[in-house]
Amino acid sequence: MEQAYQRALNFVHNMPAFSSVPGVFRIKRLLQYLGNPQEQLKFVHIAGTNGKGSTAAMCAAAFQEAGYKTGLYISPFIIDFRERFQIDGEMISKHEFVELYIQVRDAYERITAEGLECNEYDFITALAFLYFRRNHCDIVCLEVGLGGDADATNIIPPPEAAVITKISYDHMKVLGNTIQQIAKAKAGIIKHGSPCICYPDQTKEVLEVIMQTCAMVQSPLILPNMYQTEILRCDENGTIFLYGGREYHLKLLGKHQIDNAITAIETLRNLKTLQLTEQQIANGIAKATFPARMEILQHDPIVVLDGAHNPNGFAALAKSIRMFQCSPKIGVCGVLKDKSYQQELALLDGVLDHLVVTNVDSRRGLAAEELKNVAEGNHFQVSLSDYPQQAYQQAIKLAGKQGGVFIFGSLFLAADLRKYLQKEKL
């Protein structure tokens, strides 16, 4: 089975990641040959720049708490490709992946013969729909891959709820150069007859686009009220807060997760047909976890892994690092060359004591030497290690027993070091 799985995985990874012409027309045809499994499922559809994964994880945990068989489709994965396809917290098995791959490949060959060039994301999204239908999921938390309107996931019928998380600048070559263009692309998941729940702290320009879209398609807009929140505790041990007078607990670290949580809460309260109790919602929020989101991997010294890879993510990262009492605070960072790394590193000025820069295992990775040159303009010490594992070991020495190590900059780096640290524990 392992060989069959690797062959299937190689086939998928050898496809183009995305297509030059955006749109859902390819997956539409692909799914027609597969019996349109998406039309037999219910979804919570989640788009945005930051917070999609955390919000999806909270919603999924609450659905499981309520006894619903819950699918979760995320993008990207951290360690194992199969993380992208989950039911009730368990990844798809290699055996089932291969079985479904064969079905999708047959449909893929038919549309290829018709002149349509399917990409990897179309292929695996179709596979995900088959997987969730085959296992009779009651609800699927569906995270958008890129944008919204032209994303392959947007082939679904009107969902139980369309969720828009924090929108900021990212993927500008694809989505547009203005925040309005980016917001318009992400608002493309809003559909007639489905409520839209919007992250509470959007810019005026983004909120205007969301409101216009909701009015145009006649979708009720729900805005969580962040002024009804009261933080009782927010530290490295988790968060306790009040929302509308009700107490909620969060394992996910950082004040920004409170806004993600109230977005999830309002989503779960305003579903089109499914119903959850307030206690089920609170219990689910309390149980939610997500890898590489201010994830504590070890103590003495404390090691924290975060997937921050855009300016908004770095701003949240900076606030979260400040809540840790450890000293000194050492960063390990590697980035992709198409990111706003100069702006991002500036957000950590005054937050870190020392930064170790390294290379990222990706063709898009920025050379560590170039990142070092940029980082040296800030008020923290900078050093370089060519390889992530060496950078981590250097950071551990610099931190000592009383310090902390914070890993960030790219999900490629997060995946590499998370896998390394898990092996160290064995």
Side-chain angles (χ1 to χ4, degrees):
M1 178 49 62
E2 183 63 34
Q3 289 183 342
Y5 172 70
Q6 287 301 326
R7 285 196 297 270
L9 204 57
N10 290 339
F11 182 92
V12 170
H13 287 333
N14 283 330
M15 300 173 72
F18 295 97
S19 300
S20 57
V21 179
V24 299
F25 58 94
R26 289 174 299 269
I27 192 169
K28 180 178 180 180
R29 189 65 176 140
L30 189 65
L31 290 168
Q32 285 173 345
Y33 281 122
L34 294 168
N36 286 317
Q38 79 284 1
E39 294 181 0
Q40 299 164 53
L41 294 164
K42 292 181 178 181
F43 298 92
V44 168
H45 202 188
I46 305 170
T49 307
N50 292 91
K52 296 191 298 294
S54 298
T55 304
M58 292 183 211
C59 289
F63 284 128
Q64 289 173 234
E65 184 71 16
Y68 291 114
K69 193 167 191 179
T70 305
L72 178 64
Y73 182 56
I74 60 171
S75 176
F77 65 97
I78 302 298
I79 301 295
D80 192 312
F81 182 76
R82 294 178 297 131
E83 292 171 30
R84 302 188 76 156
F85 322 85
Q86 299 179 36
I87 294 177
D88 290 343
E90 296 292 328
M91 294 187 299
I92 187 173
S93 70
K94 293 181 179 180
H95 181 268
E96 191 162 14
F97 182 89
V98 171
E99 287 185 342
L100 295 174
Y101 154 78
I102 292 169
Q103 291 184 47
V104 181
R105 188 192 61 193
D106 290 344
Y108 162 79
E109 290 173 351
R110 294 175 75 175
I111 72 164
T112 300
E114 296 174 359
L116 289 175
E117 295 184 4
C118 185
N119 61 51
E120 176 182 343
Y121 189 63
D122 293 328
F123 192 101
I124 64 171
T125 301
L127 189 150
F129 292 151
L130 275 182
Y131 176 53
F132 298 135
R133 184 191 65 179
R134 183 190 207 188
N135 288 279
H136 308 289
C137 286
D138 300 308
I139 184 69
V140 175
C141 296
L142 187 69
E143 183 183 338
V144 167
L146 178 62
D149 56 352
D151 190 80
T153 61
N154 207 29
I155 195 66
I156 64 170
E160 285 290 304
V163 184
I164 308 294
T165 65
K166 179 69 174 178
I167 292 178
S168 60
Y169 289 98
D170 204 12
H171 299 295
M172 294 164 65
K173 290 182 180 180
V174 179
L175 302 180
N177 293 319
T178 69
I179 198 68
Q180 291 92 340
Q181 289 173 321
I182 294 170
K184 185 177 180 181
K186 294 179 186 295
I189 70 165
I190 302 171
K191 294 180 174 67
H192 175 72
S194 297
C196 171
I197 294 81
C198 182
Y199 184 87
D201 188 20
Q202 304 281 15
T203 64
K204 178 183 175 183
E205 294 81 5
V206 167
L207 192 54
E208 285 177 351
V209 172
I210 303 298
M211 292 174 69
Q212 289 168 3
T213 305
C214 285
M216 184 170 58
V217 302
Q218 297 181 313
S219 169
L221 175 62
I222 292 97
L223 277 172
N225 188 344
M226 59 184 176
Y227 300 107
Q228 288 188 358
T229 61
E230 179 185 347
I231 301 174
L232 302 181
R233 190 190 81 192
C234 186
D235 56 29
E236 60 194 72
N237 297 310
T239 300
I240 303 173
F241 68 98
L242 298 178
Y243 180 54
R246 188 178 185 92
E247 186 172 295
Y248 295 90
H249 293 237
L250 272 176
K251 289 181 181 178
L252 296 167
L253 303 182
K255 289 183 179 179
H256 62 288
Q257 293 291 5
I258 296 175
D259 284 343
N260 289 333
I262 65 175
T263 302
I265 290 165
E266 291 297 349
T267 299
L268 295 161
R269 286 175 174 173
N270 290 280
L271 300 167
K272 195 163 62 172
T273 63
L274 299 183
Q275 292 186 339
L276 288 82
T277 67
E278 290 293 329
Q279 193 59 53
Q280 288 166 343
I281 293 171
N283 290 348
I285 296 292
K287 292 178 180 179
T289 59
F290 203 73
R293 301 299 187 273
M294 290 304 294
E295 180 184 15
I296 297 176
L297 297 179
Q298 72 171 52
H299 295 269
D300 301 323
I302 194 162
V303 176
V304 182
L305 182 67
D306 192 66
H309 60 279
N310 57 42
N312 189 69
F314 268 71
L317 172 68
K319 291 179 182 177
S320 298
I321 292 176
R322 284 191 176 97
M323 75 183 185
F324 285 82
Q325 300 302 309
C326 55
S327 180
K329 294 176 178 177
I330 314 299
V332 176
C333 182
V335 301
L336 301 183
K337 63 182 70 171
D338 56 356
K339 298 296 181 179
S340 305
Y341 46 87
Q342 187 166 5
Q343 177 188 356
E344 292 163 357
L345 289 177
L347 293 167
L348 298 175
D349 203 339
V351 178
L352 295 175
D353 297 295
H354 194 117
L355 180 67
V356 184
V357 299
T358 189
N359 294 298
V360 174
D361 187 15
S362 169
R363 288 175 294 179
R364 294 161 54 208
L366 181 75
E369 186 66 43
E370 190 172 344
L371 183 59
K372 181 174 183 289
N373 293 336
V374 171
E376 284 176 337
N378 296 290
H379 296 94
F380 44 70
Q381 291 183 289
V382 184
S383 57
L384 184 153
S385 285
D386 285 325
Y387 301 102
Q389 294 176 16
Q390 291 177 352
Y392 168 76
Q393 292 296 344
Q394 182 179 346
I396 287 291
K397 290 178 183 177
L398 289 167
K401 288 289 184 181
Q402 303 302 315
V405 174
F406 301 87
I407 303 164
F408 53 86
S410 165
L411 288 170
F412 288 99
L413 178 67
D416 194 345
L417 287 180
R418 194 173 192 269
K419 192 181 299 182
Y420 170 65
L421 286 169
Q422 286 179 336
K423 286 181 180 177
E424 271 203 334
K425 291 178 182 179
L426 297 177

